[in-house]
Amino acid sequence: MKKPDIPPNEASRIETLHSLSILDTPTEDRFDRITRLACRMFHVPIAVISLIDTNRQWFKSHIGLEAREMPRDLSFCAHAILEEEIMVVPNALLDSRFADNPAVIGEPHLRFYAGCPLEAPNGARLGTLCVIDRKPRIFDNNDLLALRDLASIVEDEFAAMQIAMQDDLTRISNRRGFLLTAQQSLALCMRHDMPASLVYIDLDGFKAINDTWGRAEGDLALLIFADQLQKSFRESDIFARIGGDEFAVFLANVTGDQARMIFARFTEELKKHTLDAARGYDLRFSHGIIEFQPGKHDSIADLLAHGDSLMYELKRVRRRA
């Protein structure tokens, strides 16, 4: 048995996959309809929408299989995402990559496999739509075209999910995307007893930018701010535009004190950028930094509410000064 190679873009591929917040979610009829249709179209007992995570293959939809995931090293689909075209295995017993695979020599006694890579809008191959039979068979050109058509529907659903969680202007997460992805990260921190912190940010005087220089300049200010967030924080940090001029950052495995130091560096970098830009205004903001406390915070929504409260308290203090 040959273990699948790791794609050259693995880090960005995994980042894209996780940004969809689809892993470990319940089954959905919009995906199950596609696998049911695949079974009928190709007269196969098994059809799967498979996503390749770091160390596992996870099934968003699985018709004809009881398992919801399996090790990546045993996955046919982990091989399929290495190819641009559909990977077809007419008879796994005759393929040196899979002949002694546990799924071939044991249940479900896989023989035939055809897997079409599923691409995200940025081109990352996240997994496959695959059809499986317990007996060898041939897949002709018409079959290939039909499977590609079905896979395109799955890709459209992924694109819709990504758009629904992305801010139209800045292309970072919106509030919905932040709540989903940051909640998953918080759950991981809770399971492994790791600290976590959240920063809530509100731009000061943003309305004046729109009123004085116009909405296009206001949009540019938001883009500059979002870009600096992406440059200043770690790839593992989750940041979002959660409102018109409000942003949030979730930092996993970071204490409140560490978050304050990280945010201080971001503030200095933003000052340099706005001074260099010489646009006639500075990007000023108020913020609240809150460290996750078990028992006090049950969710990302709780952290957001607490951070929002701290941020507005800072605004009130400044107004009185």
Side-chain angles (χ1 to χ4, degrees):
M1 186 184 76
K2 182 182 184 300
K3 291 184 179 180
D5 294 330
I6 300 298
N9 66 334
E10 180 69 355
S12 60
R13 191 192 70 81
I14 290 294
E15 182 181 357
T16 300
L17 174 60
H18 289 181
S19 73
L20 290 177
S21 295
I22 192 174
L23 294 172
D24 300 310
T25 57
T27 57
E28 297 179 63
D29 194 54
R30 58 175 167 167
F31 293 112
D32 288 345
R33 281 197 299 267
I34 298 169
T35 47
R36 287 196 298 266
L37 180 58
C39 284
R40 291 197 298 270
M41 285 178 62
F42 300 108
H43 306 288
V44 294
I46 301 169
V48 174
I49 294 173
S50 168
L51 298 170
I52 306 301
D53 198 6
T54 307
N55 296 309
R56 60 174 177 159
Q57 170 183 237
W58 182 80
F59 306 141
K60 177 58 181 173
S61 178
H62 51 122
I63 303 299
L65 287 179
E66 292 186 7
R68 196 73 194 272
E69 64 179 61
M70 65 182 296
R72 180 172 176 170
D73 286 348
L74 303 180
S75 166
F76 279 54
C77 298
H79 287 272
I81 65 168
L82 301 172
E83 304 181 14
E84 291 185 12
E85 303 301 326
I86 295 172
M87 187 181 87
V88 179
V89 181
N91 186 348
L93 284 175
L94 303 180
D95 192 311
S96 60
R97 295 171 297 177
F98 309 115
D100 57 348
N101 186 295
V104 174
I105 60 178
E107 286 292 337
H109 297 289
L110 186 158
R111 294 295 180 268
F112 167 80
Y113 170 95
C116 183
L118 298 171
E119 291 190 357
N122 65 1
R125 295 179 200 137
L126 307 180
T128 73
L129 170 63
C130 62
V131 291
I132 297 169
D133 206 338
R134 295 187 176 92
K135 59 186 179 182
R137 59 182 294 171
I138 301 300
F139 218 54
D140 62 26
N141 285 335
N142 288 331
D143 292 328
L144 292 171
L145 290 172
L147 185 60
R148 176 68 265 177
D149 287 342
L150 286 180
S152 295
I153 299 173
V154 179
E155 291 174 340
D156 288 344
E157 292 291 348
F158 287 169
M161 293 172 67
Q162 190 170 52
I163 291 171
M165 295 190 297
Q166 188 178 74
D167 178 58
D168 289 338
L169 175 65
T170 61
R171 300 301 178 187
I172 63 175
S173 291
N174 59 18
R175 186 182 188 91
R176 179 176 182 271
F178 182 79
L179 288 172
L180 286 169
T181 54
Q183 185 62 50
Q184 287 186 341
S185 187
L186 176 61
L188 180 66
C189 291
M190 293 170 69
R191 284 197 300 272
H192 295 280
D193 196 26
M194 295 188 299
S197 298
L198 181 139
V199 184
Y200 194 107
I201 311 163
D202 182 76
L203 297 183
D204 294 330
F206 180 71
K207 183 176 182 299
I209 297 176
N210 280 332
D211 292 345
T212 305
W213 285 278
R215 187 167 296 277
E217 186 66 31
D219 286 349
L220 180 59
L222 293 170
L223 285 167
I224 290 172
F225 193 83
D227 183 61
Q228 196 58 54
L229 282 175
Q230 295 182 78
K231 290 178 179 177
S232 299
F233 288 90
R234 306 169 302 174
E235 287 188 1
S236 59
D237 297 329
I238 301 167
F239 39 85
R241 181 187 177 198
I242 58 174
D245 58 357
E246 297 176 321
F247 295 81
V249 184
F250 178 79
L251 303 97
N253 201 22
V254 169
T255 65
D257 287 340
Q258 290 170 329
R260 280 181 274 275
M261 288 190 294
I262 294 169
F263 196 75
R265 290 197 297 270
F266 160 76
T267 302
E268 289 304 312
E269 289 301 316
L270 185 67
K271 284 180 181 177
K272 293 177 187 177
H273 187 96
T274 53
L275 287 173
D276 290 344
R279 308 196 68 88
Y281 59 85
D282 291 328
L283 288 176
R284 296 176 291 105
F285 55 84
S286 299
H287 69 283
I289 298 177
I290 183 69
E291 182 174 352
F292 171 69
Q293 298 179 44
K296 184 174 184 180
H297 307 117
D298 295 325
S299 65
I300 285 295
D302 289 342
L303 284 173
L304 275 177
H306 197 166
D308 185 26
S309 177
L310 289 176
M311 181 271 296
Y312 273 108
E313 179 59 31
L314 177 60
K315 277 186 181 289
R316 284 192 291 269
V317 170
R318 286 178 174 173
R319 287 168 183 161
R320 291 197 297 266

